[in-house]
Amino acid sequence: VEEDNMECNSVVDGNVEEVPSKKVIKFNPPLYKQRYQFVKNLVEQHQPKKVADLGCGDVCLLAILKYQKCIEELVGVDINEGRLKWNGSRLSPCVGDHLDPRELDLAITLYHGSVLEKDCRLLGFDLAACIELIEHFDSEDLAKFPEVVFGYMSPAMIVISTPNSEFNSLFPCAVFRDSDHKFEWSRMQFQTWALDVASRYNYSVEFTGVGEPPTGAEDVGYCTQIGVFRKKAEAAEMAVLEHHGEHVYEVVYTTSYPSLQQINYRRRVVIYLVYREVSRLRRKYQVSLRQDELEAEFIASGNQTGKFTSDLPVPVLTDDDKAMEMAPQPFCIEDKFYVPLQRIIAYPRLGHLCGNVEKLREFLGDMIELNCDGSAVKVDLNDCSDF
């Protein structure tokens, strides 16, 4: 936490209220980034496949989570339709996503609607994030929230963040941090509410936060308090998902990402990797041939003054090379260079993508020339224009 002597911003995340000759607390990284990083860390730790951001706003959190390899479905829900339409394109696949596809499928959907409404498309999620959401509810809506999110949606894990009002004493003239906040709770108030909700819906809850206080003010706690709720094992076993309910939300934006689960992208990557591996092995073979020629010329010259040394680059053995020492070796017949498919499939990533030689041969199809019995890739030894 940094403090600067300057006119103060009494609102943490954006709204400015000038207060002369006061200190402003600056968070590094900014507080909103710390909250998103907390959720990202949670995802990396627990590897959920289906994640929902309830009250997703400008979709910043979703834009961060779409890079998590474990996630196969991302959903955002927000009451502000215009905001969703404006920011949806931030979640679109880019050129790099097509050139280097994900391992797993990823579908992203933005829904316009209230998180207080029940929509069966939000059932069966592994994680629901409610970041700076509940403080925008009036008392009636706050009472509905647990029944919908914990009782109906019932994800395996829920993370809820909300301002810690005890920290507000460090902000000059701050009553609430945002004009739309209906309340801001102390740690005791939040924990009392969270423990009651967890007990009613068979969850456990742990408390933490982000935004550490400045030195000397540690007793106020984190600026943002966080509750991480986990569904108890017996509740998870008893949960029965009914996906035939109502579709209340309106789809505002949807997209899907290229992945290696899609046969056209998998085939493209396999062909590229085979090209690269065959080219690498051919260069290695050419260097060894030239090495032999130079050594023969050295011996034929009758040079008795020293030992033969070469300026040619020495091939460096990679971990993959070491793992493939037992695989069939490339060979040359006249001016043709052959790499056995058994050698290619021994390359770890190609083995993962293809599984067996038959599948590898199917992927290569008519894109790469094979020898007459289809057991090896066949290329010209000295003409590199074929690749």
Side-chain angles (χ1 to χ4, degrees), residues 12 27 31 162-164 167 171 177 210-213 221-225:
V12 176
F27 294 94
L31 196 57
T162 192
N164 169 19
F167 202 102
F171 300 128
R177 302 181 193 176
V210 295
E212 294 188 356
Y222 291 108
C223 187
T224 293
Q225 51 187 333

Side-chain angles (χ1 to χ4, degrees), residues 81-308:
E81 183 180 11
R83 209 172 181 191
L84 293 177
K85 288 181 176 179
W86 180 261
N87 290 289
S89 60
R90 298 175 61 186
L91 303 174
S92 299
C94 61
V95 173
D97 295 311
H98 291 272
L99 296 176
D100 185 18
R102 295 167 49 93
E103 177 72 24
L104 300 174
D105 288 330
L106 172 63
I108 302 178
T109 306
L110 297 181
Y111 291 117
H112 171 231
S114 169
V115 299
L116 303 174
E117 296 177 298
K118 297 177 181 179
D119 189 305
C120 66
R121 290 169 291 184
L122 267 291
L123 296 175
F125 276 69
D126 302 305
L127 173 64
C130 306
I131 305 303
E132 305 299 279
L133 173 67
I134 61 172
E135 62 272 13
H136 294 272
F137 295 148
D138 59 27
S139 58
E140 183 179 345
D141 288 342
L142 183 64
K144 295 177 184 175
F145 174 79
E147 199 278 322
V148 175
V149 175
F150 288 82
Y152 178 74
M153 295 180 187
S154 194
M157 186 178 298
I158 303 169
V159 55
I160 295 177
S161 80
T162 192
N164 169 19
S165 64
E166 295 168 74
F167 202 102
N168 290 356
S169 62
L170 303 179
F171 300 128
C173 302
V175 179
F176 286 162
R177 302 181 193 176
D178 189 284
S179 59
D180 189 56
H181 288 185
K182 306 303 187 293
F183 63 88
E184 289 180 3
W185 277 336
S186 67
R187 285 171 290 176
M188 181 61 71
Q189 289 172 311
F190 176 54
Q191 291 176 21
T192 300
W193 175 85
L195 288 167
D196 175 64
V197 169
S199 175
R200 279 191 283 143
Y201 294 98
N202 220 359
Y203 280 77
S204 63
V205 60
E206 296 177 1
F207 300 102
T208 182
V210 295
E212 294 188 356
T215 304
E218 291 84 359
D219 59 322
V220 302
Y222 291 108
C223 187
T224 293
Q225 51 187 333
I226 295 174
V228 179
F229 300 78
R230 293 180 177 86
K231 189 187 295 184
K232 293 181 179 178
E234 58 269 25
E237 292 173 3
M238 293 170 59
V240 178
L241 300 181
E242 298 182 2
H243 291 271
H244 54 271
E246 281 190 89
H247 290 187
V248 177
Y249 300 148
E250 175 194 355
V251 176
V252 171
Y253 174 85
T254 186
T255 189
S256 59
Y257 274 63
S259 85
L260 297 177
Q261 304 306 309
Q262 300 160 26
I263 195 69
N264 57 327
Y265 283 103
R266 182 177 287 244
R267 183 169 189 250
R268 188 182 304 172
V269 170
V270 166
I271 290 171
Y272 164 74
L273 290 174
V274 170
Y275 272 132
R276 190 178 71 176
E277 181 65 7
V278 170
S279 295
R280 185 184 70 84
L281 291 171
R282 177 168 58 183
R283 286 195 302 272
K284 182 179 176 182
Y285 189 84
Q286 289 169 338
V287 168
S288 68
L289 287 179
R290 184 56 181 155
Q291 183 91 4
D292 292 342
E293 291 173 1
L294 291 174
E295 187 168 0
E297 292 173 5
F298 180 84
I299 293 171
S301 69
N303 192 323
Q304 305 294 323
T305 60
K307 186 178 179 181
F308 171 75

Side-chain angles (χ1 to χ4, degrees), residues 305-322:
T305 60
K307 186 178 179 181
F308 171 75
T309 58
S310 171
D311 293 331
L312 292 175
V314 178
V316 178
L317 283 180
T318 66
D319 291 338
D320 291 337
D321 288 326
K322 295 171 185 176

